[in-house]
Amino acid sequence: MRAITHERYGPPDEVLRLKEIPRPVPRDGEVLVRVHAAPIGGDDWHLMRGMPYVARFVTGLRRPRNPVAGLEVAGRVEEVGANVTEFEPGDEVFGWCAGSFAEYVAVPEGQLLPKPVNLSLEQAAAVPISSFTALQGLRDGRIGPGQRVLVNGASGGVGTFAVQIARSYGATVTGVCGPAKADLVRSLGAEDVVDHTRERFADRGERYDLILDVQGSPSLAECRRALKPRGTLVIVGGTGGPWFWGTDRWFRAFALSPFVGQSLRVRVHTDDRADLLLMKELIEAGKVTPVVDRTYPLERVAEAIRYVQEGNARGKVVVTVP
């Protein structure tokens, strides 16, 4: 089968290769999925580059432990291993995995669900990790009706989910994004949009119950100025150098939080089937719709990653496998 492999760390254009490799065989409890679509996420870029360097203790010190890229999938069941009870060949499924930039991937049964009935496979592929990050971050901030919520980085993969999820909980949402994406963020339910090229949200005088920081660029002091005295900041994104990539800001938030009235939190998403089921229910109820900017064929994965990393994407970018 064809697959995108990376056997060393580096820029996607240099390390990704389209190769023929053996098709996986599903083990007990696994489902072999014929991949139709797999999204590009921030995690993919970090895994390609091996950054932050401290993450290599998990991903592989000198080279990637998993040579096939891709962390999420939507497709059709090709074959099932022993003891699989929920799926059979032909079922359309979506979920998270390891190695989805390929024609086939073997996935543990518990990491898949039936595709939402009102989504295409391309849309379904965009759901898992970005929606986990948005949902879990908002939940950490005790999202609820009547809250004033600011989403910093509202037009990307995580942000577009966060705006819609917050609205589904009855919150009033302000989104921060660039001018070209303001109409998109409003269409998703944001009542107000801050153009970060013209003003800083902390300078507007508005105060929020919850700030979900996807972008990772404002200082903790700026975020605290925009919070109510008992408000909550949840950091889900970061930027920085190759060693720690913004995790130093996480530690500053941990250290400061016990000494101030505001709650300063960090959320690293966890893959959770119950949360994927909740997202499926929200999607089928019409409360959340994945935003797919564009699709790329498998052989252009490096180009797709570069497009996302340059900050051009409106929502998610998805790789399709004909």
Side-chain angles (χ1 to χ4, degrees), residues 170-205:
T172 299
V173 182
T174 295
V176 181
C177 63
K181 302 172 184 178
D183 288 344
L184 166 66
V185 174
R186 287 193 182 91
S187 74
L188 298 176
E191 295 196 5
D192 191 15
V193 176
V194 180
D195 176 359
H196 67 75
T197 68
R198 298 174 60 90
E199 59 181 331
R200 305 185 76 86
F201 66 78
D203 296 335
R204 306 179 86 212

Side-chain angles (χ1 to χ4, degrees), residues 177-311:
C177 63
K181 302 172 184 178
D183 288 344
L184 166 66
V185 174
R186 287 193 182 91
S187 74
L188 298 176
E191 295 196 5
D192 191 15
V193 176
V194 180
D195 176 359
H196 67 75
T197 68
R198 298 174 60 90
E199 59 181 331
R200 305 185 76 86
F201 66 78
D203 296 335
R204 306 179 86 212
E206 302 285 344
R207 296 295 178 265
Y208 301 94
D209 299 288
L210 168 60
I211 295 176
L212 187 74
D213 181 21
V214 183
Q215 192 67 29
S217 52
S219 68
L220 292 178
E222 285 182 281
C223 291
R224 290 190 59 217
R225 283 209 317 273
L227 277 177
K228 292 181 178 180
R230 306 298 294 181
T232 302
L233 166 67
V234 182
I235 301 169
V236 298
T239 58
W243 274 99
F244 297 102
W245 198 262
T247 54
D248 55 332
R249 183 167 171 260
W250 298 1
F251 294 128
R252 291 199 303 274
F254 285 135
L256 180 61
S257 188
F259 303 101
V260 296
Q262 298 153 329
S263 178
L264 311 179
R265 303 184 177 192
V266 172
R267 161 55 74 168
V268 178
H269 89 273
T270 55
D271 299 323
D272 189 303
R273 198 176 197 235
D275 283 346
L276 189 62
L277 179 59
L278 174 58
M279 290 308 307
K280 181 176 186 285
E281 292 169 352
L282 289 173
I283 289 165
E284 291 183 334
K287 296 180 179 180
V288 174
T289 301
V291 177
V292 176
D293 181 337
R294 59 178 64 183
T295 62
Y296 287 82
L298 184 64
E299 60 271 17
R300 291 171 60 193
V301 165
E303 182 182 343
I305 294 174
R306 185 168 62 249
Y307 176 77
V308 171
Q309 204 55 35
E310 289 170 352

Side-chain angles (χ1 to χ4, degrees), residues 99-221:
S100 59
F101 293 161
E103 292 180 320
Y104 295 90
V105 62
V107 188
E109 180 181 26
Q111 295 177 200
L112 296 170
L113 283 177
K115 177 185 73 68
V117 295
N118 54 341
L119 293 189
S120 67
L121 286 166
E122 289 87 353
Q123 290 174 304
V127 174
I129 292 177
S130 289
S131 72
F132 290 159
T133 304
L135 175 64
Q136 293 165 11
L138 291 169
R139 203 158 50 202
D140 283 359
R142 299 182 293 275
I143 185 71
Q147 278 191 329
R148 289 172 52 81
V149 175
L150 182 134
V151 179
N152 183 37
S155 60
V158 174
T160 51
F161 278 109
V163 171
Q164 296 178 82
I165 294 168
R167 287 287 296 140
S168 77
Y169 276 88
T172 299
V173 182
T174 295
V176 181
C177 63
K181 302 172 184 178
D183 288 344
L184 166 66
V185 174
R186 287 193 182 91
S187 74
L188 298 176
E191 295 196 5
D192 191 15
V193 176
V194 180
D195 176 359
H196 67 75
T197 68
R198 298 174 60 90
E199 59 181 331
R200 305 185 76 86
F201 66 78
D203 296 335
R204 306 179 86 212
E206 302 285 344
R207 296 295 178 265
Y208 301 94
D209 299 288
L210 168 60
I211 295 176
L212 187 74
D213 181 21
V214 183
Q215 192 67 29
S217 52
S219 68
L220 292 178

